[in-house]
């Protein structure tokens, strides 16, 4: 394994902390922002359905509209952008688009295509909640990757789970198909981030079974 790449990855992960104070009026170049979003979109997803959608809020007027939705957190207006991570509750509907392309290119056979499409359709029909569960689960994978990609590019972020989802949907006309997963503020930190403690792995890792563990 390349030690330089390993070191860079370790540094990115360990230096990422939630930042709530940003330098106002910093505009992230479009090319850099697009690269961050593209990297976020390389996250894994169930059946490669890519459940995430990113609503990017950069204009001052829209950040002001977002402010009360996020309970007046100043970071909303000071950050360069607010990324609304949305999850597609009907992601199964894109299966034909994804696997149809693979079929047409010869990457998969008709049998594999039929099996995959059938599995996806049955899974989404099996439960009234699976669409939302998958949307949140896979949207969260992309959200974490977005924050790491931003840090690698020299920007800081903060995930926000406390906001009025109904008002967000109404204000920004989010289609019913999508569920808000979280907000992520993105920008240039106004000062060093404050690190936070973490449990040692002895506290968080259970080997094989809880039966032999002293964990409570």
């Amino acid at each position: 394994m390349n030690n330089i790449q390993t070191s860079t990855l370790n540094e990115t992960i360990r230096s990422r902390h939630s930042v709530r104070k940003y330098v106002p009026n910093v505009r992230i170049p479009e090319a850099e922002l697009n690269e961050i979003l593209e990297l976020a979109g390389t996250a894994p997803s169930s059946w490669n359905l890519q459940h995430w959608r990113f609503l990017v809020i950069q204009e001052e007027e829209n950040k002001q509209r977002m402010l009360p939705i996020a309970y007046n957190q100043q970071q909303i207006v000071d950050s360069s952008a607010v990324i609304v991570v949305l999850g597609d509750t009907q992601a199964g509907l894109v299966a034909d688009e994804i696997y149809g392309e693979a079929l047409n290119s010869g990457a998969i056979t008709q049998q594999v295509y039929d099996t995959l499409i059938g599995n996806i359709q049955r899974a989404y029909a099996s439960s009234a909640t699976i669409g939302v569960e998958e949307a949140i689960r896979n949207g969260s994978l992309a959200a974490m990757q977005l924050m790491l990609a931003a840090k690698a590019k020299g920007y800081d972020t903060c995930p926000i789970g406390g906001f009025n989802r109904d008002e967000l949907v109404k204000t920004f006309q989010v289609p019913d198909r999508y569920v808000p997963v979280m907000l992520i503020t993105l920008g240039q930190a106004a000062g060093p981030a404050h690190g936070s403690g973490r449990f040692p792995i002895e506290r968080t890792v259970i080997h094989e079974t809880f039966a032999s563990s002293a964990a409570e």
Side-chain angles (χ1 to χ4, degrees):
M1 183 176 292
N2 188 306
N3 288 334
I4 295 177
Q5 291 180 346
T6 302
S7 175
T8 300
L9 177 60
N10 288 345
E11 290 170 2
T12 298
I13 292 173
R14 293 187 181 279
S15 64
R16 189 221 60 80
H17 299 289
S18 295
V19 167
R20 294 172 177 83
K21 294 184 178 180
Y22 297 90
V23 178
N25 304 314
V26 174
R27 187 82 175 188
I28 298 176
E30 183 178 1
E32 285 192 304
L33 180 57
N34 284 342
E35 184 175 2
I36 290 169
L37 295 170
E38 287 174 2
L39 289 170
T42 66
S45 62
S46 301
W47 292 294
N48 193 32
L49 296 179
Q50 303 163 58
H51 305 65
W52 47 80
R53 300 292 183 273
F54 304 120
L55 173 61
V56 180
I57 308 296
Q58 291 179 283
E59 300 303 327
E60 182 64 26
E61 178 183 353
N62 287 325
K63 288 196 285 185
Q64 289 294 338
R65 296 168 72 198
M66 180 68 75
L67 186 60
I69 292 172
Y71 305 124
N72 296 308
Q73 297 183 61
Q74 186 64 29
Q75 59 177 304
I76 293 294
V77 291
D78 287 344
S79 63
S80 299
V82 180
I83 312 298
V84 182
V85 181
L86 303 170
D88 184 1
T89 66
Q90 300 176 34
L93 297 178
V94 305
D96 181 66
E97 178 183 351
I98 292 170
Y99 291 107
E101 181 177 340
L103 176 64
N104 292 334
S105 68
I108 62 175
T109 65
Q110 184 68 52
Q111 181 180 6
V112 170
Y113 170 87
D114 292 340
T115 298
L116 287 168
I117 296 297
N119 288 342
I120 293 168
Q121 290 175 343
R122 283 189 293 273
Y124 273 84
S126 67
S127 167
T129 62
I130 190 172
V132 172
E133 292 169 358
E134 286 290 293
I136 294 173
R137 179 169 27 251
N138 292 282
S140 296
L141 290 173
M144 187 69 251
Q145 192 138 309
L146 189 154
M147 289 186 280
L148 291 175
K151 188 62 182 177
K153 297 288 289 182
Y155 296 103
D156 283 284
T157 57
C158 181
I160 300 174
F163 60 96
N164 189 319
R165 284 162 171 76
D166 291 338
E167 283 300 315
L168 186 147
V169 167
K170 178 181 177 181
T171 300
F172 293 95
Q173 302 179 43
V174 178
D176 292 341
R177 175 172 175 165
Y178 303 108
V179 58
V181 176
M182 70 181 74
L183 310 179
I184 298 177
T185 49
L186 170 64
Q188 181 180 333
H194 296 289
S196 54
R198 290 293 186 272
F199 289 130
I201 63 170
E202 292 81 5
R203 178 77 178 274
T204 60
V205 176
I206 296 89
H207 291 283
E208 312 300 344
T209 175
F210 273 90
S212 60
S213 172
E216 298 180 354

